[in-house]
Amino acid sequence: MLRARACGLSDVGAIRSHNEDCFEIDPEHQMFVVADGMGGHSHGEIASRIAVGAIREFVAKSTDEDATLPFDMDPKLGRHSNVLRAAIRIAHDKVLKAIRQDSALHGMGTTVVGLLLDGEVAAVAHVGDSRAYRLRDGKLELLTQDHTWVNEQVVAGFLSEEQARVHPLKNVVTRALGGDAEVVVDVREVRVEPGDLFLLCSDGLTTMLNDREILERLKSSEPLEEVCGRLVRDANSRGGFDNVSVVLTRMESAVDDDSDADATHA
Ligand code: CA
């Protein structure tokens, strides 16, 4: 049996006046989420908080095997992956509902990336350009594909990854909660081993540090809290143009059932 020890940090960055990012660590249900809100007048804050709250609530009440899911189960996925996917679709509906109830919120939306652990399998789900990475045996693997216009151009072979990093349209997301009426959630399942380190993050990290630089910091033997702090500090020292959020989750063999979690909002 594996348990995750997790730590998270969210920071407004060096330029912006509001932090529209949001994260959640739920050690009881082994659920970890980062959301990056968007929309003027700090409405992004509202969207990301609605989404994270909805996901937390749905996951918490759906861990019971008897609970029915409001959406069709995908038979190719495990129950916890279906739970996480359904939670994100419900979060999308809640963001849309908030917009319908208050026209001033029109245009708000949020990305989301979530990880839900079930034994030795982790469900990883996302919408937008918040990312999940896994560090194993000194190698960093990106587990998500950004739902952005530039990434679509990279996949199609029209832009290199370096061109995409500096492209003027690099912030244009092609999927978000609160966007189109239907949202397509990418879900995958990855096997988990003791020692695996997962990083969930908003693009405020990945636009400031490239994968090699993230790898260098994750390989540190320092406590997770230190590594979180270093990632955020280094993103800010590069300019900190955006809010930055990181959640680190290390998989440990559970000798007894005392997982631990720390959360810090800055
Ligand atoms: Ca952002």
Side-chain angles (χ1 to χ4, degrees), residues 21 36 203-204 242:
D21 287 0
D36 175 355
D203 71 330
D242 198 357

Side-chain angles (χ1 to χ4, degrees), residues 1-6 24-33 59-60 63 80 84 114-123 192 200 249-252 254 257-261:
M1 185 67 178
L2 290 168
R3 295 288 287 176
R5 189 179 131 60
E24 178 72 29
I25 291 173
D26 178 347
E28 182 185 352
H29 300 101
Q30 297 279 280
M31 183 214 68
F32 313 91
V33 176
V59 168
T63 48
H80 69 301
L84 186 59
L115 187 151
L116 182 61
L117 188 63
D118 180 28
E120 294 177 348
V121 178
V192 179
L200 307 181
T249 306
R250 192 185 299 284
M251 302 301 164
E252 299 174 345
D257 217 17
D258 64 342
S259 73
D260 192 7

Side-chain angles (χ1 to χ4, degrees), residues 21-265:
D21 287 0
C22 186
F23 76 89
E24 178 72 29
I25 291 173
D26 178 347
E28 182 185 352
H29 300 101
Q30 297 279 280
M31 183 214 68
F32 313 91
V33 176
V34 167
D36 175 355
M38 59 201 85
H41 307 288
S42 77
H43 294 158
E45 274 178 72
I46 299 172
S48 62
R49 279 153 186 75
I50 289 172
V52 167
I55 293 166
R56 178 186 58 223
E57 189 182 321
F58 184 78
V59 168
K61 76 176 184 196
S62 304
T63 48
D64 179 354
E65 292 289 324
D66 297 330
T68 51
L69 299 183
F71 298 101
D72 293 340
M73 294 266 285
D74 181 341
K76 296 189 294 298
L77 296 172
R79 179 181 166 80
H80 69 301
S81 303
N82 277 291
V83 166
L84 186 59
R85 187 177 65 132
I88 292 174
R89 287 162 78 175
I90 286 169
H92 171 64
D93 289 344
K94 290 205 170 177
V95 173
L96 285 179
K97 186 177 173 194
I99 294 169
R100 277 199 305 274
Q101 289 175 341
D102 182 354
S103 60
L105 299 177
H106 181 77
M108 77 172 181
T110 185
T111 72
V112 67
V113 59
L115 187 151
L116 182 61
L117 188 63
D118 180 28
E120 294 177 348
V121 178
V124 177
H126 83 294
V127 174
D129 63 356
S130 296
R131 293 183 179 176
Y133 290 89
R134 178 179 60 195
L135 177 72
R136 177 184 286 174
D137 298 333
K139 293 195 182 68
L140 187 67
E141 184 184 356
L142 176 61
L143 300 175
T144 50
Q145 282 288 329
D146 292 352
H147 301 139
T148 57
W149 182 83
V150 290
N151 190 47
E152 288 175 2
Q153 304 308 305
V154 170
V155 171
F158 296 131
L159 287 177
S160 70
E161 292 196 9
E162 271 319 297
Q163 286 171 323
R165 283 184 69 78
V166 295
H167 198 281
L169 298 179
K170 66 180 189 300
N171 293 324
V172 175
V173 295
T174 49
R175 286 190 222 172
L177 307 192
D180 296 336
E182 291 288 322
V183 69
V184 179
V185 183
D186 284 1
V187 188
R188 63 182 293 184
E189 295 178 336
V190 293
R191 292 207 71 78
V192 179
E193 295 179 2
D196 283 352
L197 180 63
F198 289 85
L199 165 68
L200 307 181
C201 61
S202 62
D203 71 330
L205 179 73
T206 50
T207 52
M208 293 290 127
L209 302 180
N210 63 31
D211 286 5
R212 182 180 50 75
E213 293 166 328
I214 291 171
L215 170 63
E216 282 169 15
R217 288 152 182 84
L218 293 186
K219 281 162 76 175
S220 160
S221 56
E222 292 176 314
L224 289 185
E225 293 78 3
E226 294 292 326
V227 181
C228 276
R230 186 177 307 279
L231 288 168
V232 169
R233 270 197 310 279
D234 289 352
N236 285 339
S237 70
R238 295 278 175 88
F241 299 127
D242 198 357
N243 311 142
V244 54
S245 300
V246 295
V247 168
L248 285 174
T249 306
R250 192 185 299 284
M251 302 301 164
E252 299 174 345
S253 299
V255 182
D256 51 343
D257 217 17
D258 64 342
S259 73
D260 192 7
D262 300 294
T264 311
H265 289 271

